[in-house]
Amino acid sequence: MVLSGQMDGIIAGMSITPERKRVYDFSRPYYRTGVVWAVSKKSNITKLSQLRGKTVALKTGTASADYGKSLQKKYGFKITYFNDSNTMYNDVVVGNSDAAFEDLPVMQYAIKNGLELKIPKQKVANAGWYGFAVRKGRNKALLASFNRGLDSIQKDGTYDRIIKKYLGQSQRHYSGNSASDSGSSSMWQLLKANFPSFVNGIIETLELTVVGIILA
């Protein structure tokens, strides 16, 4: 829709990747994402090695499922696939499956809203960043407004309040592995390339937009 000109921008969990940067211009990164795994609140499992011989729930067609599948041989668990998140989560809650892999913000939001799961290891795998995207070479003013607004809400604390309200805790509670460390370097390169030098930002509109993507 954006590439065809029917929409002006994308803000729906749009991960910043080298491939996408060939056709889109991105804002400053606004949310760190990646894959985490969760178990029932009653579970004693604290390490991936404890999943050997157990069943892991994965959602079909997702990056988190691909990551979980990549660990199957190493940790020796069985896999059950689901078509929707709620069914997958509940399968772990009731004990049919022993763990599930999911995107960090999605899992945080579900737990914040009462899902009886916990994240035993507070590290993010395949870490990356979400960004607001526009068609490459187009809508520079819109991109500038986004960056300006993002900068404002991060400085005045609004951003942190939004994260805490919808996800329950700051991103700082989650540390990355070596993959996320290298992603951090890429982030700084991206920041330098897209440093905000903008005049107009609609802060209230941006706040609603950020809330929308977190909920999405």
Side-chain angles (χ1 to χ4, degrees):
M1 298 290 280
V2 171
L3 293 180
S4 66
Q6 298 180 60
M7 298 290 178
D8 296 310
I10 303 174
I11 185 168
M14 186 72 161
S15 297
I16 301 171
T17 66
E19 294 77 16
R20 287 173 175 168
K21 287 172 68 175
R22 295 192 187 104
V23 293
Y24 296 104
D25 289 325
F26 281 93
S27 67
R28 292 200 297 109
Y30 66 83
Y31 193 83
R32 182 171 177 271
T33 186
V35 180
V36 293
W37 61 288
V39 298
S40 168
K41 282 190 174 181
K42 300 177 182 179
S43 175
N44 294 320
I45 295 174
T46 59
K47 298 182 295 184
L48 287 170
S49 59
Q50 293 175 289
L51 292 175
R52 186 168 299 278
K54 299 186 182 300
T55 301
V56 168
L58 302 177
K59 184 179 177 182
T60 305
T62 62
S64 55
D66 291 340
Y67 178 71
K69 176 65 176 177
S70 73
L71 299 179
Q72 183 181 24
K73 185 176 180 180
K74 179 178 180 180
Y75 293 106
F77 52 74
K78 296 174 288 185
I79 291 177
T80 299
Y81 285 98
F82 295 87
N83 291 323
D84 66 276
S85 296
N86 286 334
T87 304
M88 178 179 72
Y89 298 155
N90 288 325
D91 203 65
V92 178
V93 171
V94 301
N96 292 330
S97 293
D98 298 282
F101 286 82
E102 181 62 278
D103 288 349
L104 170 63
V106 178
M107 185 60 75
Q108 283 181 298
Y109 179 75
I111 292 174
K112 173 65 167 58
N113 284 276
L115 186 68
E116 294 295 311
L117 296 180
K118 61 183 178 181
I119 301 172
K121 189 175 182 181
Q122 295 187 334
K123 285 191 176 181
V124 179
N126 292 354
W129 293 85
Y130 288 153
F132 174 66
V134 299
R135 186 177 175 183
K136 199 168 189 65
R138 308 287 182 90
N139 283 326
K140 290 185 177 180
L142 179 60
L143 203 60
S145 294
F146 185 97
N147 280 329
R148 179 65 178 180
L150 177 60
D151 186 58
S152 296
I153 66 169
Q154 287 178 331
K155 286 182 177 178
D156 68 15
T158 301
Y159 178 89
D160 287 337
R161 289 193 294 272
I162 293 172
I163 298 299
K164 185 175 181 180
K165 178 179 179 180
Y166 289 97
L167 301 184
Q169 57 187 306
S170 168
Q171 288 188 24
R172 288 188 291 273
H173 288 200
Y174 288 82
S175 58
N177 54 18
S178 59
S180 64
D181 293 338
S182 63
S184 181
S185 297
S186 298
M187 180 200 72
W188 285 114
Q189 292 174 2
L190 189 63
L191 285 174
K192 291 179 181 179
N194 296 278
F195 187 80
S197 58
F198 314 116
V199 179
N200 297 316
I202 307 174
I203 298 176
E204 292 184 1
T205 301
L206 178 61
E207 180 178 349
L208 291 174
T209 304
V210 174
V211 171
I213 184 54
I214 292 173
L215 292 176

